[in-house]
Amino acid sequence: MVEATELRVAGEAALSAEDQRRLEQMLQYIRAQAETFIGYPCNGYFDYSALHEFLKYPVNNVGDPFAPCTYRVHTREIEREVLAWFAELTHIPPSDYWGYVTNGGTEGNIYGLFLARELFPQGLVYYSEDTHYSVAKNLRVLNMKHIMIRSQPNGEIDYDDLYETIRIHRDVPPIIFANIGTTMTEAIDDIVRIRKILSDLAIPESYIHCDAALSGMTLPFIDGAPLYDFRAGIDSISISGHKFIGSPMPCGIVLAKKRYVERIARSIEYIGTLDTTLTGSRNGIAPLILWYAIRTRGADGFRREVADCLEKARYAVERFRARGIEAWRNPFAVTVVFPRPPEVVLEKWQIAVHRNRAHIITMQTVRREQIDAVIDDVVASCEAAAGPAEIKG
Ligand SMILES: Cc1ncc(COP(=O)(O)O)c(C=O)c1O
């Protein structure tokens, strides 16, 4: 293959001084924004410069990571190691799983729903109102029938509403889209309880997909965390890679029971492999990033990071409350929820809101002094706007 440097010799121009300046400005912009990045569950604490050389090749993991492929500039071997690590993490035996490295949590969720639809074309999807916004759109894309279930105030699905709704539609296979950490409050739907509902209603066939975008990388490292993985009887799971692990590009993994995927696999001559994945061309750098993180930080490293993030979440709740602001968090959550502050705070700190709630997420990169500064700003802006009583509601 032609080296990039040879290409440049062959005529590729270097960047003009003006373009170089624009890049520099862009970098400075990103650096500055990273300082106030406390409202999203993305870790920015990583250094993948050891992988830099790979960017000189058209790496592409097109198709099935477990099947041979005529496009051989790929990282499938590493991808399979990443998947094996996640399979162990989510307790599915090596012979039972299939999966791939995705573009992020959303793709993994679409994949889980796609599998469910192929297995149960008449199935009815149940998901709580706290489910990530992308899911309703994905259900439209997949043209799947669905019913939104009420949420409890903490963001967890309302089991009574779920029971009643499934009971009314007992003749249709239920497809449960469960949240293992909702976007706004990091609430965890209780898979054991959901399974009990299905068995109490004597439902013969069902499918459970877990959206574990963030918590799929925290719960395995917290003692006493609820059971949510394949041990609990789920059928597929999606976990984001750019969230807790951290990555310069969005990525994630999806795992599902192998026997389901075998039913949808199609062999494609052009790429000489199986077309089991949602997209054709797939990011071959993302598996390297995940692999590098796993190999350098390992389970012990992740456990320490999770403990540190939880400690900061506890600190944040305590500090908010000490200043008269009713912050709270779900058990096992690194998401600290507080009443929606004035706009000026949201803009400064890149804080996501939903209705009357806001949150900060104490990821690895969030420092205690940033938490203190946010709280100072929230208090000051509330006092300036309407007085502190306003924000305690
Ligand atoms: C619970 C949940 N599910 C899915 C997603 C979408 O994941 P991604 O951004 O990795 O596509 C998010 C993103 O924040 C999320 O919070």
Side-chain angles (χ1 to χ4, degrees):
M1 189 154 292
V2 183
E3 293 286 339
T5 43
E6 290 174 43
L7 272 181
R8 202 158 292 132
V9 171
E12 183 188 297
L15 274 185
S16 67
E18 170 60 12
D19 288 344
Q20 194 63 49
R21 202 177 55 77
R22 289 200 60 210
L23 270 191
E24 191 51 41
Q25 275 172 348
M26 191 77 249
L27 188 59
Q28 273 169 18
Y29 166 82
I30 298 229
R31 275 196 193 124
Q33 296 309 314
E35 268 307 296
T36 51
F37 187 64
I38 57 154
Y40 290 90
C42 296
N43 172 26
Y45 182 54
F46 52 75
D47 178 2
Y48 298 115
S49 45
L51 304 173
H52 180 250
E53 278 295 303
F54 287 95
L55 295 183
K56 294 181 179 170
Y57 298 93
V59 183
N60 192 328
N61 285 12
V62 59
D64 189 316
F66 293 90
C69 180
T70 42
Y71 189 117
R72 292 209 299 271
V73 188
H74 63 67
T75 60
R76 281 175 154 74
E77 195 180 319
I78 293 279
E79 181 176 13
R80 289 195 294 271
E81 283 182 36
V82 169
L83 296 169
W85 188 84
F86 276 100
E88 203 179 327
L89 195 73
T90 54
H91 297 94
I92 182 162
S95 53
D96 291 359
Y97 75 88
W98 182 89
Y100 70 97
V101 171
T102 61
N103 264 322
T106 307
E107 185 181 345
N109 287 337
I110 303 180
Y111 196 81
L113 289 169
F114 169 57
L115 272 186
R117 193 199 65 187
E118 295 302 286
L119 292 171
F120 302 119
Q122 307 305 324
L124 191 44
V125 181
Y126 301 87
Y127 63 105
S128 84
E129 55 186 325
D130 273 51
T131 300
H132 191 256
Y133 69 88
S134 62
V135 174
K137 174 191 62 193
N138 299 338
L139 290 168
R140 284 209 313 277
V141 171
L142 289 161
N143 197 19
M144 294 173 86
K145 286 201 215 107
H146 52 93
I147 298 183
M148 188 188 272
I149 303 295
R150 266 199 300 274
S151 290
Q152 301 180 50
N154 75 333
E156 198 174 336
I157 198 164
D158 180 323
Y159 303 99
D160 295 336
D161 194 23
L162 180 66
Y163 181 97
E164 230 2 72
T165 317
I166 297 179
R167 193 186 63 76
I168 295 166
H169 302 278
R170 278 182 60 175
D171 53 328
V172 182
I175 297 167
I176 313 287
F177 185 96
N179 289 306
I180 305 304
T182 56
T183 307
M184 271 316 284
T185 66
E186 216 180 317
I188 299 164
D189 294 342
D190 185 337
I191 302 294
V192 175
R193 198 158 166 192
I194 291 172
R195 294 255 307 175
K196 180 154 187 325
I197 290 173
L198 297 173
S199 98
D200 286 352
L201 288 169
I203 302 290
E205 291 183 311
S206 62
Y207 188 103
I208 302 179
H209 172 80
C210 282
D211 174 2
L214 170 65
S215 310
M217 269 303 295
T218 58
L219 295 181
F221 305 108
I222 305 176
D223 295 334
L227 203 60
Y228 66 92
D229 56 29
F230 289 94
R231 284 173 298 179
I234 65 163
D235 297 288
S236 53
I237 189 165
S238 168
I239 303 175
S240 293
H242 58 283
K243 290 199 164 75
F244 193 83
I245 292 181
S247 160
M249 59 192 70
C251 59
I253 62 103
V254 64
L255 291 178
K257 289 186 178 162
K258 194 174 170 181
R259 63 177 190 277
Y260 300 160
V261 180
E262 281 163 358
R263 288 178 53 172
I264 63 150
R266 307 222 192 314
S267 176
I268 306 293
E269 189 183 10
Y270 176 65
I271 49 173
T273 192
L274 291 175
D275 188 22
T276 37
T277 54
L278 272 189
T279 58
S281 286
R282 292 190 305 109
N283 190 329
I285 303 297
L288 294 173
I289 284 172
L290 297 177
W291 182 87
Y292 187 87
I294 291 167
R295 303 301 294 176
T296 51
R297 285 145 74 187
D300 288 344
F302 291 134
R303 184 175 287 275
R304 276 195 301 275
E305 289 175 31
V306 171
D308 183 51
C309 293
L310 284 171
E311 195 44 52
K312 284 186 295 192
R314 277 183 216 109
Y315 173 82
V317 171
E318 191 194 295
R319 295 308 307 152
F320 265 120
R321 291 191 167 191
R323 302 288 296 274
I325 297 162
E326 290 177 4
W328 60 277
R329 68 185 182 96
N330 271 307
F332 313 107
V334 295
T335 301
V336 174
V337 187
F338 56 99
R340 180 181 183 133
E343 212 60 33
V344 56
V345 181
L346 304 179
E347 273 171 29
K348 174 172 173 189
W349 290 99
Q350 307 176 51
I351 292 175
V353 286
H354 184 60
R355 299 200 183 116
N356 59 350
R357 280 177 173 168
H359 67 201
I360 59 169
I361 307 184
T362 55
M363 301 300 289
Q364 293 91 325
T365 11
V366 172
R367 303 186 305 274
R368 278 178 171 69
E369 56 268 29
Q370 286 175 305
I371 296 171
D372 294 342
V374 173
I375 296 173
D376 283 347
D377 285 350
V378 170
V379 171
S381 65
C382 288
E383 283 173 357
E390 192 61 8
I391 199 165
K392 289 184 186 169

